[in-house]
Amino acid sequence: MPGFYLKAAWRNALRTPLHSALNLLGLSLGLATFILVALFTHEETNYYAHFANHADLYMIRMGSEIYGSKAVTTPEPADSVAQLKLDFPGIDGIARAADTQEEVVNGEQVISNQTVLIVDPSYIDVVGVPLLRGDPHSALSAPDSVAISETLARELFGTLDCLGRTFSLSDRETVRVTAIYREMVEVQDGARIMLSGAGENSVLSRMDKQDSAHVLPFTYIASYLLIRSPDVRARIEAGLADFAHRHYQFYIDGMKAYFVLMPLDAWRLQGKKYGDIDAHPLIRLLAVDAVGLLVLAVATLNYINLATALAGRRGVEMGVRKAIGASRRQIILHLLAESVALTCVATLLAIALAELVLPVFSTLMFVHLSVDYLHQPGLLLALAGFAVVFGLLAGAYPALVLSAGRPAESLRLGRQAEGRGLLRQAMVLLQYAVSIAMIVGAVVIYRQYHYAANDIDGVDNNLVYQVDDYGAGPNVFPARLLDLIGALPGVAMVGALGTGDDWYFHRPDQVIAGSAKIMNTPVGSRFFEAWGLKPQAGRLFDGDHTDTDMIVLNQSAVGAFGFASAEAALGQEIVAEMPDGSKPTRRLTVVGIVPDFMVETIYGRIPPRVFIVTPPSDYSLLMVKLTGRDVPGTVAAIKRAEREVSGHVVYHDGFMDALLNSRYLDMLRDAESIGGFSLLSIFVAALGLFSLAEFMAQRRTKEIGIRKAMGASSAQIAALLSRDLLMPAIVANLIAWPLAYFGATWWLSGFAYHTTVPLWLLPAASVLVLLVAGLAVLLQVMRVAWAKPATALRYE
Amino acid sequence: MLQLTGVSKLYRTSEIETGALREVSLSVGAGEFVAVMGPSGCGKSTLLNILGLLDSPSAGSYRLFGEEVASLPEQALTQLRRQAVGFVFQSFNLIDDLSVADNVEVALIYRGVSAGERRKRVAEALEQVGMGHRAKHRPGQLSGGQQQRVAIARALVARPKLILADEPTGNLDTGNGAAVMGMLLDAVAGGTAVVMVTHSEGHASMAARVVRMLDGRMVGETRVAA
């Protein structure tokens, strides 16, 4: 019997090969999207599942209270995890990883820009890194030992059996391979090298020797705690406030800091629950899921629509089948079996399609997705089950309609008696509404990304090379290093951000209590010039460090101090006090005003700032403005200077625009993926419309003949058909416009600084969709409308 | 009013060529009633399609109101059809999705008649064929005889000079057939020329002239005594 159904389905498909192929393709595209989105969702919700101990791993995060609202945004003090382990017995282990960029040199072979994680010797064991070779307990105990990923092992040595082989990092350290681990994006940035941090001079060792007060919060060290016992966990959570007071009074005073123990698994998607305002991937995941489901919905509607249209032409066949004895149940079964057979083929096609685009999609979404159907029979089974259920659901409507016809009527009409196709129109309408809304969404996200990454920070990041200390404490940038860098021919100037005291600023006639907190921002004297900032009023600092009691305000600070205008603030006196009186009060004079510009992410507002010149000994971040001549050579020279002068201090280098853009990369990926999916949904909808146009024309061939006999011109017929086919696309705007507009506005309102939804975008998206739809129906309409009326009438 | 001279119509498929009409000549005067008879496949319907400008002849001349129309472009044919021709088909050919009144109105819409005028003329035409009380019904809700009355109303409403009827009584019982013939005779009496294809000798005998066809040729012509 199944063979019979398959044969019938196959023959039926062959009757209209083009439309069967288009129908199949549309459905496969929808299903392929669904498979990709499902894989992505699975990956995101099981993000750290590759870490054997993921369920017992925790992070310590630091929050602070800024302008009355609590938020976990600040990286925790780098030594807090080690401190915690000392204070709370029962913690099973700690694992820290600092990252740096290195060149990998293996004889002639050089691989640059490799992220290297400098990790605790116990890292592999504590985290549960899946090893392919090597011993998890002892692999990284020697200072020169490295664990490398399987792909790097293949690249360097052509084999996984390379334990004991050596290579060097950035031309200086020779390291020995002691373990091979499975490739994972979950390890920071997909790092392919883990270097033992056991050495005396490693970042981790040096940090362990330092006093807490000198370890700055801004670190690049990711730390995990392994806590197996729930009791220990509860004890830590209860004791965190005391712990903070014991060791980090400094931060509590300065920024009302507090600590949060966050499960690693929660951090990825539920960080917001723990007050982490930078965590928004859950929304992102939901958006991708929603978009994926919408594409599937469009494809499904399309499929049902076409299946019903196709089925309508089989009225005679069904009439004959009934006349020779088939029951309604048998006809329904027959049609459902055909539908399931078709969706099974579509699913196979979809699996192939998904497999084909998986690498591109993985790169786009910055996840490592892979499917191994052979080793995941559950997945295959799920897909097969899905195909069957989907086939039953999608085939149900056409089967019920088609089987309901009375045989005599079907035979007489030569087709199924049918209504005016309102349901079909509604389905087409929905497809268009979804497509239009998705285009609007993608463009708005892209505009916001562009705005965030390029416009609102208000500074010229181009050619600004950033050299960050590692929270290594004062005097990290010796004068000699600054001189060396400043003297390079490719360097225009050196700006700097510094560390400084947490002053409270106010006007002489104001009191501290109740006044807004205005942030002290210590900078080098060439800070503004390096970022290409021009004063809005007054002047910038002069270059020779004489401006010790002069300050520059940003625009927000002008308002916060209550000055009427930027000009009014010039020459005014500002008082700086330490609330606890630990330092003598200073009296400062405003010499210039600069526009607001972004130092943090755009999820929060730009705070009012007082810029004050700080001596080079307090610099914590250099901003080296390059001239643009021989950029690679200059960067190499800066690195050489760092090594020469600073000994073992490790700097975190990179181009500012790249670093800033990377903050908004998620947004760009969202725009790209939603944009891609929306184009796909338009394409699928157009495929459907193309087929539908022909069915509609065929269904109305007689009517067209009559109308022509009654005097209708070809143009009038074309207009009539086009109107009926395109009307849903026009009415769809009524649904899509308000939905897209309010949805996009709501999404944008989540940003302190955002673009708007341009009104032209709505008609533009509609025009694009209409154009595609118009093209899809044009051919069919022309063919039918310009046919000789006698041909049309003879059809009957 | 119309004059066919040596008209042929060939249908080509990739393998064979069929002559549906061969060298047919025929003239019909204003207000004349001509019946066309012949076995199935003899070319009667093709003849009507050409007369009605639904199709163009492969060869020969067709003059309508003194103008050569055999090689006019599609647009001009549409214009002429609007001005001069009304159709009645064996299978009624009403548009299923439209009401009875709307079906009749279609003929006027394409002739650019104003909405008020259309309503008036549609009502008149439906009264004329005794279908005024069914104006809101769908074709599917009517009997065959009723559908054909609507089709005749649709043909009459535009006041054409020529009505082409393709076996108008072929699907009807005797009573309804007689009623339809009465309506056609009324139209002829009003000055409209009617060319009717029929299998019924009785109905053919009501025409002024009977033309007989066989295998695409005209094989005889009988004048019926008035």
Side-chain angles (χ1 to χ4, degrees):
Chain A
M1 207 58 171
F4 166 74
Y5 289 138
L6 271 179
K7 206 191 283 177
W10 175 242
R11 290 213 177 117
N12 187 45
L14 280 190
R15 284 214 308 204
T16 49
L18 178 65
H19 300 291
S20 303
L22 290 182
N23 199 4
L24 204 61
L25 178 64
L27 186 57
S28 304
L29 285 174
L31 284 171
T33 306
F34 180 77
I35 292 176
L36 288 180
V37 168
L39 284 174
F40 177 68
T41 307
H42 182 265
E43 173 71 19
E44 284 287 303
T45 46
N46 296 277
Y47 196 74
Y48 290 105
H50 296 307
F51 293 165
N53 299 330
H54 67 98
D56 296 324
L57 288 173
Y58 293 83
M59 299 165 77
I60 190 89
R61 300 296 315 274
M62 188 164 83
S64 56
E65 200 176 318
I66 307 171
Y67 308 116
S69 63
K70 285 182 163 189
V72 174
T73 50
T74 336
E76 66 283 3
D79 64 339
S80 54
V81 167
Q83 208 57 262
L84 214 61
K85 174 110 165 64
L86 292 176
D87 282 26
F88 294 91
I91 291 177
D92 296 286
I94 60 171
R96 300 169 298 176
D99 70 287
T100 171
Q101 298 284 318
E102 300 278 354
E103 221 163 54
V104 169
V105 183
N106 179 32
E108 295 291 296
Q109 190 181 5
V110 177
I111 309 172
S112 47
N113 279 331
Q114 289 296 301
T115 301
V116 174
L117 297 184
I118 302 162
V119 299
D120 282 318
S122 59
Y123 187 89
I124 292 177
D125 206 16
V126 168
V127 167
V129 176
L131 286 192
L132 300 171
R133 301 281 191 283
D135 173 22
H137 306 294
S138 60
L140 296 180
S141 43
D144 67 340
S145 53
V146 287
I148 59 176
S149 79
E150 50 182 318
T151 60
L152 187 63
R154 291 221 163 81
E155 253 171 72
L156 290 175
F157 308 111
T159 168
L160 292 186
D161 297 309
C162 54
L163 297 188
R165 305 276 292 265
T166 59
F167 61 92
S168 47
L169 287 175
S170 294
D171 222 8
R172 55 196 167 118
E173 293 172 74
T174 298
V175 291
R176 197 163 41 84
V177 178
T178 51
I180 315 287
Y181 59 91
R182 233 180 47 217
E183 202 82 25
M184 291 170 295
V185 172
E186 297 77 10
V187 174
Q188 283 142 284
D189 299 331
R192 302 200 293 168
I193 304 170
M194 293 179 190
L195 172 64
S196 169
E200 277 287 294
N201 284 320
S202 86
V203 175
L204 302 177
S205 306
R206 272 186 293 122
M207 198 175 67
D208 285 343
K209 283 179 223 146
Q210 259 174 347
D211 178 10
S212 282
H214 290 106
V215 179
L216 288 168
F218 299 96
T219 65
Y220 295 87
I221 297 176
S223 313
Y224 306 128
L225 290 155
L226 180 64
I227 308 170
R228 294 195 196 275
S229 152
D231 295 343
V232 175
R233 179 188 167 175
R235 204 144 34 82
I236 295 174
E237 277 170 343
L240 267 180
D242 283 343
F243 170 78
H245 279 290
R246 263 201 307 284
H247 301 286
Y248 302 102
Q249 191 63 40
F250 176 75
Y251 297 119
I252 296 173
D253 293 344
M255 48 202 277
K256 300 199 179 154
Y258 60 95
F259 287 102
V260 171
L261 188 68
M262 193 184 290
L264 182 63
D265 282 336
W267 177 72
R268 179 85 186 160
L269 290 176
Q270 290 156 339
K272 271 221 161 62
K273 272 211 304 219
Y274 292 82
D276 189 339
I277 61 165
D278 278 338
H280 51 107
L282 183 60
I283 293 242
R284 181 173 166 229
L285 177 63
L286 290 179
V288 171
D289 279 0
V291 167
L293 284 177
L294 282 178
V295 175
L296 182 65
V298 166
T300 310
L301 289 176
N302 201 34
Y303 176 79
I304 295 177
N305 234 345
L306 285 178
T308 319
L310 263 172
R313 309 191 337 153
R314 298 174 70 187
V316 175
E317 179 195 335
M318 293 307 140
V320 171
R321 281 183 194 278
K322 281 191 176 180
I324 59 178
S327 68
R328 180 168 187 206
R329 210 175 67 91
Q330 282 170 317
I331 298 233
I332 290 181
L333 258 177
H334 176 166
L335 290 170
L336 285 181
E338 277 190 25
S339 175
V340 170
L342 192 69
T343 48
C344 283
V345 175
T347 306
L348 282 179
L349 210 61
I351 290 175
L353 274 173
E355 191 73 16
L356 212 64
V357 296
L358 199 59
V360 182
F361 184 73
S362 292
T363 313
L364 185 69
M365 305 304 287
F366 205 62
V367 285
H368 183 70
L369 298 179
S370 65
V371 223
D372 187 353
Y373 294 101
L374 283 183
H375 292 98
Q376 289 168 281
L379 188 64
L380 263 190
L381 221 63
L383 277 172
F386 180 83
V388 170
V389 172
F390 186 86
L392 289 177
L393 287 178
Y397 176 72
L400 287 176
V401 170
L402 200 54
S403 64
R406 277 167 299 155
E409 195 181 357
S410 302
L411 284 173
R412 185 169 65 81
L413 289 175
R415 60 184 166 80
Q416 194 58 42
E418 50 190 316
R420 307 199 64 185
L422 277 181
L423 187 71
R424 185 175 306 165
Q425 299 275 29
M427 288 196 276
V428 173
L429 190 147
L430 264 181
Q431 289 183 347
Y432 283 112
V434 169
S435 303
I436 294 169
M438 272 162 75
I439 294 178
V440 172
V443 173
V444 166
I445 295 175
Y446 185 75
R447 276 170 57 94
Q448 175 65 10
Y449 160 76
H450 202 262
Y451 177 73
N454 298 304
D455 298 343
I456 41 162
D457 45 18
V459 295
D460 177 14
N461 293 319
N462 190 27
L463 288 175
V464 178
Y465 188 75
Q466 171 182 309
V467 183
D468 205 341
D469 72 0
Y470 240 129
N475 277 315
V476 283
F477 295 113
R480 172 145 166 71
L481 176 61
L482 299 177
D483 291 345
L484 274 179
I485 293 177
L488 291 172
V491 171
M493 67 187 83
V494 180
L497 257 173
T499 57
D501 297 316
D502 197 31
W503 295 97
Y504 272 70
F505 299 99
H506 61 95
R507 287 166 72 177
D509 52 345
Q510 288 174 323
V511 285
I512 299 177
S515 68
K517 176 80 173 76
I518 294 163
M519 289 182 78
N520 178 23
T521 313
V523 295
S525 54
R526 304 299 297 277
F527 172 79
F528 298 112
E529 287 93 331
W531 252 2
L533 280 162
K534 301 240 172 344
Q536 202 173 324
R539 63 174 176 88
L540 303 175
F541 297 121
D542 60 26
D544 49 12
H545 312 306
T546 54
D547 276 335
T548 43
D549 287 326
M550 309 291 161
I551 54 174
V552 169
L553 308 182
N554 70 357
Q555 184 61 41
S556 291
V558 171
F561 281 124
F563 292 121
S565 67
E567 283 72 22
L570 290 179
Q572 297 290 324
E573 192 180 67
I574 297 292
V575 179
E577 280 186 77
M578 293 301 277
D580 57 359
S582 61
K583 298 221 171 151
T585 300
R586 296 174 70 180
R587 296 189 169 270
L588 310 160
T589 308
V590 179
V591 296
I593 313 294
V594 292
D596 281 341
F597 62 95
M598 201 53 82
V599 185
E600 301 89 355
T601 73
I602 54 160
Y603 294 103
R605 293 216 145 256
I606 296 176
R609 287 182 184 279
V610 167
F611 297 97
I612 189 162
V613 175
T614 193
S617 57
D618 283 342
Y619 287 177
S620 63
L621 177 83
L622 296 188
M623 289 139 49
V624 185
K625 177 75 175 180
L626 308 184
T627 59
R629 266 178 295 125
D630 187 23
V631 172
T634 307
V635 168
I638 292 174
K639 289 209 172 212
R640 265 201 309 278
E642 288 171 11
R643 251 178 251 151
E644 183 187 326
V645 175
S646 315
H648 290 288
V649 173
V650 181
Y651 297 104
H652 197 262
D653 294 8
F655 276 96
M656 203 119 200
D657 49 359
L659 294 172
L660 281 173
N661 283 352
S662 69
R663 291 198 303 218
Y664 306 120
L665 224 51
D666 275 359
M667 218 188 294
L668 179 64
R669 288 185 196 121
D670 291 354
E672 283 173 351
S673 60
I674 293 180
F677 283 148
S678 63
L679 287 181
L680 196 65
S681 84
I682 298 173
F683 179 67
V684 170
L687 279 187
L689 204 65
F690 177 77
S691 294
L692 212 55
E694 176 165 334
F695 289 122
M696 212 145 144
Q698 271 182 4
R699 190 171 73 88
R700 298 174 70 175
T701 302
K702 185 185 93 171
E703 177 190 336
I704 292 163
I706 297 168
R707 283 184 186 274
K708 282 201 151 184
M710 294 300 127
S713 67
S714 298
Q716 281 168 322
I717 295 291
L720 176 79
L721 286 178
S722 306
R723 197 192 65 206
D724 286 2
L725 281 165
L726 297 181
M727 190 51 88
I730 292 164
V731 179
N733 293 317
L734 294 181
I735 302 177
W737 286 14
L739 218 70
Y741 183 81
F742 290 112
T745 307
W746 171 80
W747 181 79
L748 284 174
S749 68
F751 298 90
Y753 298 89
H754 56 79
T755 59
T756 50
V757 183
L759 285 179
W760 57 259
L761 181 58
L762 302 173
S766 303
V767 166
L768 177 67
V769 168
L770 256 180
L771 268 181
V772 177
L775 275 177
V777 303
L778 185 70
L779 212 70
Q780 306 285 10
V781 167
M782 298 267 286
R783 203 170 54 81
V784 178
W786 270 267
K788 286 262 182 232
T791 321
L793 281 173
R794 202 177 313 120
Y795 167 83
E796 194 58 15
Chain B
M1 187 179 80
L2 69 83
Q3 203 148 26
L4 291 185
T5 318
V7 164
S8 297
K9 178 71 186 178
L10 303 174
Y11 289 113
R12 278 191 196 86
T13 62
S14 53
E15 277 152 30
I16 46 167
E17 191 179 278
T18 325
L21 286 183
R22 298 161 198 269
E23 308 257 327
V24 170
S25 296
L26 171 73
S27 64
V28 178
E32 199 181 358
F33 190 177
V34 178
V36 181
M37 296 195 71
S40 292
C42 73
K44 304 183 298 284
S45 295
T46 306
L47 177 66
L48 279 200
N49 283 341
I50 287 175
L51 287 177
L53 308 170
L54 291 178
D55 212 344
S56 308
S58 310
S61 149
Y62 176 17
R63 299 178 80 82
L64 186 61
F65 305 120
E67 191 191 348
E68 178 58 54
V69 297
S71 53
L72 283 181
E74 166 77 19
Q75 248 176 331
L77 291 179
T78 302
Q79 283 300 329
L80 265 175
R81 200 155 61 226
R82 279 181 195 165
Q83 287 162 19
V85 190
F87 289 90
V88 180
F89 303 96
Q90 177 180 8
S91 51
F92 326 132
N93 275 344
L94 298 176
I95 298 172
D96 300 332
D97 293 340
L98 301 182
S99 71
V100 161
D102 290 345
N103 262 290
V104 176
E105 196 182 359
V106 164
L108 295 179
I109 289 175
Y110 293 127
R111 285 168 172 84
V113 179
S114 74
E117 171 78 6
R118 288 206 301 264
R119 261 199 306 282
K120 207 175 92 213
R121 281 169 67 176
V122 166
E124 276 172 20
L126 284 175
E127 282 306 324
Q128 205 179 335
V129 298
M131 290 298 295
H133 61 299
R134 295 290 167 113
K136 297 245 184 297
H137 284 68
R138 289 285 165 88
Q141 298 168 301
L142 304 180
S143 72
Q146 289 173 322
Q147 289 194 43
Q148 194 62 302
R149 285 162 192 244
V150 175
I152 289 176
R154 183 177 61 183
L156 292 176
V157 75
R159 296 168 189 160
K161 302 259 187 337
L162 171 66
I163 287 182
L164 299 167
D166 193 352
E167 297 192 46
T169 58
N171 282 356
L172 302 180
D173 57 45
T174 323
N176 275 313
V180 164
M181 284 311 295
M183 289 170 203
L184 288 178
L185 285 169
D186 284 349
V188 170
T192 306
V194 173
V195 178
M196 174 182 76
V197 166
T198 183
H199 283 295
S200 157
E201 290 286 352
H203 291 159
S205 67
M206 295 181 186
R209 236 178 344 140
V210 179
V211 171
R212 290 181 194 279
M213 293 185 67
L214 185 66
D215 297 339
R217 293 177 197 282
M218 294 199 40
V219 292
E221 188 174 326
T222 326
R223 285 200 177 269
V224 181

